[in-house]
Amino acid sequence: MGKPEVRLDEMTREEALQYLNETMNPEEGAIPAYILSDPTIYKLEHEKIFMKTWVLLGHVSEIPNKNDYMLRDLAGYSVIVSHGQDGEIRAFYNMCTHRGMKLCRADHGNKANFTCPYHGFNFKNNGDLIGVPLQNDIYGGRLDTSKMGLNKVTIDTYRGLIFGTWNDNPQPLDDFLSDFKWYLDIGLGRTEMEVVGPPQKFIVHSNWKIGSDNFVSDSYHTMVTHGSIAQLGMVPSATYSKKGYQVHTDNGHGCLIGMPNPDFPFPEELKDEYKANLTPEQFDLISNMKNLIGTLFPNLSILVSHTKVKGQLVSNTTMRLWKPVGPDKMEVMTWFLVEKNASEDWKYRSREAYILTFSPSGIFEQDDTEVFTDITQAASGTMPFAKQLTYNYTMGMHREPVTDFPGPGVAYGDKFSEANSRNYYRYWLNLMNS
């Protein structure tokens, strides 16, 4: 008899992790296909990554007023993010502490209290239980409401971004963001930004890591997957996306910075605000930048791009969250942000640029999601695992980092590289072993 087929779902957790370490080698650019489809890997990711690390919940501008709230997802669990009456932002598990009913089912609203639709337990938006129907009669005055507050989610903020984690003792957010804050400042902190409208949500039959990977390092696909933009005259040539820098930092974060740009595609009237919020080095970079594309590990991607609308260059800024739903399915949430103090005309044109390019109906988004779906399908099932199919992530390994780049991290003077992906999967593998 031949050797029995190896299957991850028949292994112990320890055996599955050992097999992962034997078959995956980010340092050498060897990434096995099965990690994009295998249910065992998906379950381990949920436990090792999404239950422990910081994940984006939203932006403070989405709940600007006292008592505003929004429902979000954290590692597959519904959470209420609330702007309390005292002005503090908090987050709670969307579960009544009496019998477990969801307290809230609307995506957003304005409430000082949340009343359970099952038995009527009433919670203040700071999490305290403040009302129980017929409390003295049915509990005889013995119910200790002080111990029945909503279960809190650990949260922190940076540059308007609200992050949450189920980890009670997480790495401080500031340490987790590390040197990547320098690039987040350019993308989302150059001035006060605000989200316009609710985030768009759509389902893609793809593994979530493909989206994160695409934004962390893959400018190479632009000249083929998005080749139509050169034919439409939106960019000067198919190799437009090659020039610039690829940079990665600790904890799996990385970005691509397109340069040079002879035009300043941001609101001229906000230059003083940019200078006040950025260092001179950051302002010099943004003044010469075509685009900024990056991923904050594990699944938050940001994009600052520009295009012509009504004959004028205008920037547009977006975030997207690649939210796992299953091994071969994700929900994509995408936010459009704009400079709060820009003119209404600028905001309108920036939104038009977003709709044209990276909205759910945009040129780029449709190109990418088709690719993401096909990659996942090709990686699924028993054959890619049995045949030990492996992706080649060796691009750029012959290059040395540059020493004259003004920002922190490891920088390469060419965007066509997979150095950031190797860094991303190196950290992913470290967490899977933690």
Side-chain angles (χ1 to χ4, degrees), residues 164-220:
T165 178
W166 290 116
N167 193 338
D168 291 330
N169 297 292
Q171 179 184 20
L173 178 63
D174 195 64
D175 294 346
F176 174 69
L177 299 178
S178 188
D179 287 338
F180 201 67
K181 290 182 293 185
W182 200 87
Y183 304 97
L184 284 178
D185 291 349
I186 293 173
L188 301 169
R190 58 187 181 267
T191 185
E192 185 177 359
M193 305 291 288
E194 63 180 359
V195 170
V196 177
Q200 302 293 302
K201 303 177 184 180
F202 53 100
I203 293 292
V204 180
H205 291 274
S206 164
N207 185 271
W208 68 273
K209 292 188 293 297
I210 302 175
S212 293
D213 182 11
N214 179 273
F215 272 68
V216 83
S217 82
D218 196 347
S219 278
Y220 185 50

Side-chain angles (χ1 to χ4, degrees), residues 232-279:
L232 293 171
M234 296 176 66
V235 297
S237 68
T239 57
Y240 168 84
S241 60
K242 189 176 190 294
K243 295 179 180 179
Y245 295 90
Q246 181 169 137
V247 189
H248 64 255
T249 68
D250 294 340
N251 303 332
H253 315 315
C255 64
L256 303 151
I257 301 172
M259 299 177 74
N261 188 6
D263 303 298
F264 187 77
F266 301 96
E268 290 281 346
E269 67 273 17
L270 298 184
K271 276 188 173 181
D272 288 342
E273 286 191 30
Y274 289 176
K275 291 178 179 179
N277 285 285
L278 302 173
T279 66

Side-chain angles (χ1 to χ4, degrees), residues 148-413:
M148 293 186 64
L150 298 179
N151 295 289
K152 294 182 179 180
V153 177
T154 302
I155 67 167
D156 204 349
T157 62
Y158 184 79
R159 292 293 196 180
L161 302 175
I162 306 170
F163 293 91
T165 178
W166 290 116
N167 193 338
D168 291 330
N169 297 292
Q171 179 184 20
L173 178 63
D174 195 64
D175 294 346
F176 174 69
L177 299 178
S178 188
D179 287 338
F180 201 67
K181 290 182 293 185
W182 200 87
Y183 304 97
L184 284 178
D185 291 349
I186 293 173
L188 301 169
R190 58 187 181 267
T191 185
E192 185 177 359
M193 305 291 288
E194 63 180 359
V195 170
V196 177
Q200 302 293 302
K201 303 177 184 180
F202 53 100
I203 293 292
V204 180
H205 291 274
S206 164
N207 185 271
W208 68 273
K209 292 188 293 297
I210 302 175
S212 293
D213 182 11
N214 179 273
F215 272 68
V216 83
S217 82
D218 196 347
S219 278
Y220 185 50
H221 77 285
T222 304
M223 64 179 182
V224 179
T225 304
H226 307 305
S228 61
I229 63 174
Q231 299 172 14
L232 293 171
M234 296 176 66
V235 297
S237 68
T239 57
Y240 168 84
S241 60
K242 189 176 190 294
K243 295 179 180 179
Y245 295 90
Q246 181 169 137
V247 189
H248 64 255
T249 68
D250 294 340
N251 303 332
H253 315 315
C255 64
L256 303 151
I257 301 172
M259 299 177 74
N261 188 6
D263 303 298
F264 187 77
F266 301 96
E268 290 281 346
E269 67 273 17
L270 298 184
K271 276 188 173 181
D272 288 342
E273 286 191 30
Y274 289 176
K275 291 178 179 179
N277 285 285
L278 302 173
T279 66
E281 293 79 13
Q282 287 171 316
F283 181 77
D284 286 345
L285 188 143
I286 200 172
S287 298
N288 196 34
M289 188 178 81
K290 291 185 297 189
N291 51 42
L292 171 67
I293 307 157
T295 293
L296 177 73
F297 189 94
N299 65 334
L300 170 63
S301 293
I302 61 172
L303 170 68
V304 182
S305 186
H306 72 274
T307 190
K308 279 188 177 181
V309 175
K310 296 182 178 179
Q312 292 182 293
L313 278 177
V314 60
S315 65
N316 64 91
T317 301
T318 61
M319 306 187 301
R320 51 195 34 77
L321 199 66
W322 317 100
K323 191 179 80 176
V325 178
D328 58 355
K329 184 186 294 186
M330 64 177 169
E331 180 183 74
V332 182
M333 293 182 66
T334 179
W335 291 259
F336 168 66
L337 300 96
V338 71
E339 287 82 345
K340 185 175 182 178
N341 295 324
S343 68
E344 291 305 312
D345 176 66
W346 177 274
K347 293 179 180 180
Y348 174 81
R349 288 189 292 113
S350 183
R351 182 174 177 271
E352 290 294 297
Y354 158 67
I355 291 172
L356 174 65
T357 55
F358 275 99
S359 71
S361 61
I363 298 172
F364 295 94
E365 203 80 43
Q366 293 189 54
D367 289 342
D368 284 339
T369 52
E370 183 177 5
V371 170
F372 297 170
T373 300
D374 285 352
I375 290 172
T376 302
Q377 289 178 348
S380 299
T382 58
M383 188 280 289
F385 181 84
K387 296 292 185 180
Q388 297 184 340
L389 302 187
T390 303
Y391 304 127
N392 186 307
Y393 274 78
T394 61
M395 187 189 305
M397 290 184 74
H398 65 293
R399 300 189 187 279
E400 293 294 327
V402 298
T403 58
D404 58 349
F405 186 74
V410 181
Y412 293 86

Side-chain angles (χ1 to χ4, degrees), residues 110-125:
N110 184 280
K111 282 189 174 184
N113 304 322
F114 296 100
T115 301
C116 178
Y118 193 14
H119 297 102
F121 278 49
N122 190 27
F123 298 84
K124 194 175 178 180
N125 64 8

